[in-house]
Every structure is written in structure tokens, then in C-alpha cells.
Amino acid sequence: MILINRAIISIMFLMNMVTISQAKPLAVGAFCQVYPDAPACSGSRPFCQTCHASIEPVKFNAYGGCVISKLNRSQDFYGQIPSILKEIEQTDCDGDGASNIAEVLQGTLPGDASSAPEQNPCGEASGSCQTDYDYVYKKLWFDFCGEPPSWKAFQDFSKLSNEAKQTALDDQLDLCLDSQNWLGRNGVLWQLGHSKIRPVGSIKAGEDKGIIPILDYDSDYHLYVWAQIDGNDARESLLADYSVSRIPGNELNPDEYSKNDTDRLVDGLVMQVDKRVGLLTTFWNLAFYQNFTAVPRVLTAQTFRAFLGITMATYQGLIPSPTSETGFADYDKSGVTQPECAVCHTTIDPATYPFKYYNGLPGVQGSILSGTTNAQLSNVENLGSEINLTPLSYALPRINYYVNEKGMTDLVNMPETGYVLGQRVNNLREWAQVVTNSDLFAAKTVTDYWVLLIGEKPRSYQQEEFRKLWQDFSTVHEYSVEAMLHDLIKTEAYRVR
């Protein structure tokens, strides 16, 4: 259970900031209402460090102190925030030489003197640095192909005109994106998938099995890679109702990935076809994050962190849902309705409800049914609670284990409908659609590749270029990672030494 320091809650209640019934947004929501285009709000969510030096114990930084000093304690807290933020825009609360508004719009912290906007080494105007195409060519080879170009290839490239070099860079990128270094097992894309899949080698089955070979998560990597290549839609990583197989290759003939028939219960998807939701419902993900868990808060938090770049443990992305609609309650007897918990859990718990009927490992909710047909799996809720269930199927009796064995009798009343990112959803597929269609998903996907290829998150003077890239990803590139990469290598951030 995520707790907020009781002192914070006391302040909230004294200022009439929030109650469970009112379900008003938290302070970061008010901040983003004033500055929707700030990097902290556009494709991201603000951290507490915007105003706080620490949460436990509660300490405000210089910017938070400026806000607090302007508060009228007899008035509504949220109602004052917009006017206070505007009032102190031209102030330099942390004394680092940059105004609060300059820091907010460039993505630095207006309450931390060590976090200040940087000067663009290329000058004020983007694109003013001259591109060294020979340097970019060698960098592209190393980043995507995993090796330097041959001497002859480099000499041939260096003799081209600048216009021809730009075309040659795109052509070489296409070749490298089909290389074993990029596609292969444990290649660049596999490594990029580590934070999404969270492998545990000691319990891995199959190839490269561990000391206790229980589960094989290679199929998760296959699906993740598939969604990143060949112009495929990156959202499929969380939406696919199919599995993906890999044909191992070598340096001359790289690995190949292909979709399996959707009705096959293989390759990590022991799940009814109509209930499959990409990586969310794979054998590995449900077994690792859902097993032994009636209300899968950790599974939800991991998905937010890996695919949206939001860390709920730091109070990011809290959008309290209307409790009268979600039926928010303490279904698993964890104390989440207590005020100091409800501040967070009115966001977190409704986001877990659509996972209600998805099973974990056998031995807890049942063991694999021998001879079970696909037709039976599609109607497994009609098989009754007295029989063993397919361990990773979507099945209504799943919750009976927690009711009968753990005494969590209120779980039968937990809804399957929920809220995610402030939107109501009826099931897990709708949940995934809201998540993958969000700005957060687009920005996080592009951030992953930006950090991979440039070595760090966007600096303050790169924010405009970065924002255009992730916004184009969902529109111009239509969620094609490869199309986005062709634009990324043209950014000033990538092509300037």
C-alpha cells in the first residue's frame, strides 16, 4: 500500500484540498492546467520535486515556498494555485538566474538551483550547427549495426555531396534496422525490452534456462520486437491478440519474426483469444506480477512505469477517479480507503479492476486442465468454481480462491470496470487502448530510443525538438518506430557532436 505522510494529509484537510467524495485532482494537476505545454505536463507528469524538497518529512523547496507564502489559508487551495503560479512566473525562486516561467517551459526545476536551463551550444536557433555527415555516418553504423563501416564504404560515402549523403544515411539506416545486431536475440531491441519484460534468468525455461526453469519469457521479447520493426504499430505490444515466433538467424541472415495464428494457445499466450491483451496477458507477465495477488497493484504500477514513464511510488500520474462510479472500496482488506491511503488509491485501485478475472500460476487458482478445448476455454466461466482452471485463462471463478482461502469476501463485489488516466474503461482491452493512445505512451516510446541513441534524456534546449518527435510519432509516423528513427537521426541532438 502506498502511503502519503500523515502531515501532508493533515495540511490537505486543513486547507480543504481534497476529500474522497470530492475526488479533486492533486496539486500537480492544477500545475498542468496552467502549463499544459510544459515538458513536465506534455507527454509526462510532474514529480513532487517541482515543489517539494522531500515528502517524508515534508519540506518545500524554494518554488514550493514561494507558492506557500502566497496562500490564503481561509480559501480553497486549488482555486488559488493558478493565480499564484502566474503571479510568481517572473520571480527566480531558487536564485539560479532563470525565472520560474523559463524553468517550467524548459523542463528544469524552478525550486532547485542545481537544475537550470542550459545554453544550446548551437545558439538560440535550432539547426544553426553545421552537420558533419561523415561523423553521423560512422555513429549510425555503431548505434544500429553494432560495428564500424568498412574503409571502402566510408570512403565512398565521404565523396558524396551533402544532399546525397542525407539519402545515403536513410538507406544505411534501413539496412542496419534489418541487422542481427538490431533484431537478434539479446540484440539492441531485446535489451530495450528488458525494462518492459523484467526477465529473471534464474527461473527461465527454454533457451538459456536458469537453475529453476519454470517459465520461458522469450515469447514476450518476440512480441515486443515485432511491434518495433517493419513499420508495425508499436501499440501492438500492449494490444496484440496473437503471439509471435522467431526463426533464429546469424550475421548474414538475421533473425526473422512472424505472427502466429490467433487461435493457437502457444508461445506464452495461454489465454482465450478474445481476452488476450498483448504483453499484459502473457504467461510471464501474469505469473510474475499477478500471481498470489487479488488486486494487482504491482502489475499496474510496472506497466505505468515501463510503458508510460510514470512512477506511482513518487505520486506521478495521480488522477483520482469519481468513486461513486468506480465503486472504490477496500476489497482486499488492505486499508486503502483510509484518508492517507485513498489520496493515491482512488487512482491506483480503479486501474487494477479490469485485471479481476485474469489468472496467475497453477497451484494457486488451479492447475492446467488436460484436454481442454478452445471452445471450453472461451466459456470457462461456465465450467464452475469446483473444478481446476486453466492457470492463465480469463475465468470468473479466479476470485473464489481469495474469497474462500483468504477470507477476502468483499472481492466478489469488486467491479471489472475501472478508470485509467482519468477515463472509464469496461475491460482490459479498453484499458490498453486508452494507455497506448495516450501522449504518455508516445513520449515514453520515443524517450526510450532517444536515451538509447543519444545517451541521456532530452536537455532543456532540446525540449522543442523532442516534443515534435514524439508528437509526430503518433500522427506522421503512425506509431512506426522505424519511421520515427529516420527523423530522430536528423535531429540536432543526434547529428551534432
Side-chain angles (χ1 to χ4, degrees):
M1 179 177 60
I2 299 174
L3 299 177
I4 287 186
N5 186 288
R6 290 179 182 272
I8 297 178
I9 304 303
S10 298
I11 294 172
M12 288 179 175
F13 276 79
L14 287 172
M15 295 181 176
N16 297 313
M17 284 176 63
V18 64
T19 66
I20 296 176
S21 61
Q22 289 174 320
K24 294 180 180 180
L26 298 180
V28 292
F31 177 88
C32 287
Q33 289 174 12
V34 180
Y35 304 116
D37 294 328
C41 302
S42 179
S44 184
R45 291 292 184 269
F47 286 98
C48 294
Q49 288 92 329
T50 303
C51 291
H52 286 271
S54 70
I55 298 299
E56 296 185 14
V58 179
K59 292 183 180 179
F60 292 101
N61 60 28
Y63 186 62
C66 284
V67 173
I68 293 298
S69 68
K70 301 288 185 179
L71 281 176
N72 184 330
R73 300 302 178 98
S74 65
Q75 296 181 13
D76 175 66
F77 179 84
Y78 284 123
Q80 299 177 71
I81 288 182
S83 60
I84 291 175
L85 294 180
K86 298 297 288 185
E87 181 181 349
I88 65 174
E89 278 186 348
Q90 301 305 321
T91 304
D92 178 12
C93 289
D94 58 6
D96 60 5
S99 66
N100 296 333
I101 186 62
E103 297 216 53
V104 167
L105 296 181
Q106 293 190 60
T108 56
L109 296 174
D112 183 353
S114 66
S115 172
E118 300 172 274
Q119 294 296 318
N120 187 341
C122 291
E124 291 296 325
S126 178
S128 57
C129 274
Q130 185 174 358
T131 300
D132 181 346
Y133 289 104
D134 292 354
Y135 159 77
V136 177
Y137 182 69
K138 288 187 287 186
K139 176 176 170 59
L140 186 152
W141 264 87
F142 277 111
D143 288 343
F144 295 93
C145 284
E147 61 183 4
S150 68
W151 175 254
K152 184 180 185 306
F154 179 70
Q155 290 300 310
D156 289 345
F157 178 85
S158 64
K159 294 174 184 176
L160 298 174
S161 66
N162 284 346
E163 183 177 357
K165 285 179 177 179
Q166 294 182 60
T167 300
L169 286 171
D170 279 321
D171 292 341
Q172 186 58 52
L173 176 59
D174 285 332
L175 292 174
C176 288
L177 291 175
D178 288 331
S179 69
Q180 186 70 352
N181 176 70
W182 193 255
L183 298 173
R185 176 183 176 81
N186 298 321
V188 174
L189 289 179
W190 278 60
Q191 293 178 48
L192 202 61
H194 289 342
S195 65
K196 321 293 181 184
I197 297 164
R198 300 288 294 275
V200 179
S202 61
I203 64 174
K204 186 184 183 302
E207 191 174 354
D208 293 337
K209 67 180 180 180
I211 58 174
I212 309 175
I214 299 175
L215 299 172
D216 191 1
Y217 40 73
D218 279 1
S219 56
D220 293 56
Y221 283 96
H222 300 165
L223 176 55
Y224 176 74
V225 171
W226 168 266
Q228 314 299 303
I229 65 174
D230 297 337
N232 295 330
D233 191 326
R235 294 173 297 180
E236 288 292 278
S237 60
L238 292 182
L239 292 174
D241 64 356
Y242 50 84
S243 61
V244 174
S245 294
R246 176 180 64 94
I247 300 175
N250 52 49
E251 294 301 323
L252 296 178
N253 298 293
D255 290 5
E256 295 182 6
Y257 297 83
S258 59
K259 290 169 59 175
N260 293 319
D261 295 335
T262 57
D263 62 350
R264 294 174 62 194
L265 296 175
V266 296
D267 292 316
L269 285 181
V270 187
M271 179 67 60
Q272 301 96 303
V273 173
D274 65 332
K275 300 302 181 183
R276 297 177 184 175
V277 191
L279 292 174
L280 293 173
T281 58
T282 62
F283 197 127
W284 170 248
N285 196 53
L286 288 175
F288 194 71
Y289 289 109
Q290 171 80 318
N291 193 36
F292 303 106
T293 307
V295 182
R297 301 180 182 96
V298 173
L299 188 159
T300 303
Q302 157 62 10
T303 304
F304 270 50
R305 183 168 52 249
F307 291 94
L308 301 180
I310 288 179
T311 304
M312 286 187 165
T314 60
Y315 316 118
Q316 274 189 298
L318 296 182
I319 307 174
S321 57
T323 55
S324 59
E325 294 184 26
T326 60
F328 174 67
D330 189 7
Y331 297 110
D332 61 346
K333 303 183 185 302
S334 295
V336 295
T337 55
Q338 297 181 41
E340 61 266 39
C341 299
V343 171
C344 289
H345 284 273
T346 49
T347 295
I348 296 169
D349 281 37
T352 70
Y353 298 159
F355 289 92
K356 178 178 180 179
Y357 297 121
Y358 286 89
N359 277 318
L361 281 174
V364 176
Q365 287 91 12
S367 59
I368 297 178
L369 281 171
S370 59
T372 303
T373 66
N374 287 355
Q376 287 174 313
L377 285 171
S378 297
N379 294 283
V380 71
E381 61 266 28
N382 298 322
L383 296 179
S385 60
E386 70 281 3
I387 67 170
N388 290 329
L389 302 173
T390 300
L392 293 173
S393 65
Y394 171 94
L396 299 186
R398 181 191 89 89
I399 218 70
N400 289 349
Y401 166 78
Y402 300 99
V403 173
N404 298 329
E405 301 297 326
K406 299 294 184 180
M408 300 178 184
T409 54
D410 292 341
L411 281 173
V412 294
N413 299 316
M414 185 173 72
E416 187 178 13
T417 58
Y419 268 75
V420 63
L421 300 181
Q423 296 188 49
R424 187 178 188 277
V425 293
N426 293 311
N427 50 55
L428 192 56
R429 175 153 294 277
E430 289 185 12
W431 189 100
Q433 288 169 341
V434 169
V435 165
T436 55
N437 286 327
S438 68
D439 286 349
L440 293 168
F441 179 84
K444 180 61 168 69
T445 303
V446 174
T447 298
D448 287 342
Y449 286 94
W450 184 286
V451 172
L452 171 72
L453 299 169
I454 296 172
E456 61 184 0
K457 290 186 176 182
R459 292 177 177 267
S460 58
Y461 57 83
Q462 296 168 335
Q463 290 297 331
E464 182 178 348
E465 193 170 45
F466 170 70
R467 182 187 305 168
K468 183 179 188 307
L469 191 63
W470 72 253
Q471 289 178 339
D472 284 352
F473 179 59
S474 61
T475 54
V476 177
H477 306 138
E478 298 181 326
Y479 294 97
S480 165
V481 165
E482 293 190 346
M484 179 272 294
L485 290 174
H486 277 277
D487 278 352
L488 192 154
I489 66 168
K490 295 178 176 68
T491 62
E492 189 172 78
Y494 186 81
R495 63 186 173 83
V496 173
R497 294 176 186 265

